[in-house]
Amino acid sequence: MTTIGILGAGRVGQSLAQKLAMSGHHVILGHRSMKEETGAPVGGVDPRISFADQHTTARTADIVINATPGDSALDRLTGLRTELAGKILVDVSNATRDADDGLPGELCYPGSSLAEQLQAALPDTRVVKTLNTMLFMVMTAPETLGTPPTVYVSGNDKQAKRTVTGLLGDLGWQPAWIEDLGDITTARATEAMILVVPHILRRHGFQPFAVSLTR
């Protein structure tokens, strides 16, 4: 059983926590503070889900998932440099500035990516980018889409990517749906895919979808 820390206890973090706990992992949901409010409580859903502050979560977990807002993630995680040293950091966030209607707007790191910025700021951490090209409900239930979806993986460390690929399998992703793009610089391609999302949401509403590769 792996201890997985999830930074961010919103819809993304809670959804991932429930599915990973169901797969047999112990999950720690990390709040910015223990007074932070969340949506529907998941602590009672599975005894393998617990809560802690983000410093404790990062220090205690074997693998850490960044599910915090992308526009503030770099500052927040840089403050956890010591706790994240030697760990795998799975980054599922997209760093954008909100448009007037609250949907994703411009990229915060054009010509780069949040994942690259995190890897540069956390040289002792193995950053792997994935799960950022879909609505959050698809992350944990890819089989519900009518067309087989694609999940992309970017990272410099091959062993870290193999470990994360195993976690993707626990979330329901079949091997044929997982596309390893290469090193961490390839994350700028998948993060740029967020630019299509607001247009889809404005036309079709909040319907599950993923940006996928069809062969």
Side-chain angles (χ1 to χ4, degrees):
M1 182 175 67
T2 302
T3 298
I4 300 174
I6 301 177
L7 305 178
R11 292 180 300 183
V12 174
Q14 292 200 37
S15 179
L16 291 170
Q18 291 181 33
K19 188 62 175 283
L20 289 169
M22 288 172 59
S23 297
H25 300 286
H26 173 232
V27 179
I28 307 172
L29 268 174
H31 298 262
R32 295 186 70 176
S33 72
M34 289 309 292
K35 296 180 180 179
E36 183 178 355
E37 296 293 332
T38 63
V42 297
V45 173
D46 192 296
R48 287 165 292 198
I49 299 175
S50 59
F51 293 94
D53 63 85
Q54 292 190 352
H55 285 272
T56 301
T57 299
R59 183 177 64 252
T60 306
D62 302 309
I63 299 170
V64 178
I65 298 174
N66 172 40
T68 66
D71 59 349
S72 60
L74 182 59
D75 288 341
R76 189 177 309 193
L77 271 65
T78 299
L80 301 174
R81 182 184 292 109
T82 299
E83 290 87 348
L84 291 171
K87 306 287 180 72
I88 295 174
L89 176 64
V90 185
D91 178 31
V92 305
S93 295
N94 287 303
T96 62
R97 299 177 179 87
D98 286 348
D100 292 339
D101 59 2
L103 293 177
E106 296 180 353
L107 298 174
C108 291
Y109 306 107
S112 182
S113 64
L114 173 59
E116 291 173 82
Q117 298 295 316
L118 288 171
Q119 186 62 85
L122 304 168
D124 297 323
T125 302
R126 295 172 289 167
V127 178
V128 178
K129 187 80 181 191
T130 193
L131 289 172
N132 63 307
T133 56
M134 63 202 69
L135 289 190
F136 76 93
M137 63 282 288
V138 180
M139 295 179 178
T140 57
E143 73 283 355
T144 60
L145 294 184
T147 302
T150 303
V151 61
Y152 306 95
V153 179
S154 302
N156 294 338
D157 188 284
K158 293 182 179 180
Q159 181 56 51
K161 288 194 289 186
R162 282 193 288 269
T163 298
V164 172
T165 296
L167 288 182
L168 291 174
D170 292 339
L171 292 172
W173 291 89
Q174 297 183 20
W177 302 347
I178 302 172
E179 189 75 21
D180 185 345
L181 296 180
D183 66 27
I184 201 66
T185 64
T186 64
R188 67 184 65 177
T190 60
E191 289 191 27
M193 292 179 185
I194 191 66
L195 297 176
V196 76
V197 170
H199 306 297
I200 294 172
L201 294 181
R202 290 183 187 114
R203 285 182 57 83
H204 302 287
F206 207 67
Q207 300 293 324
F209 73 91
V211 182
S212 298
L213 176 66
T214 302
R215 292 187 174 91

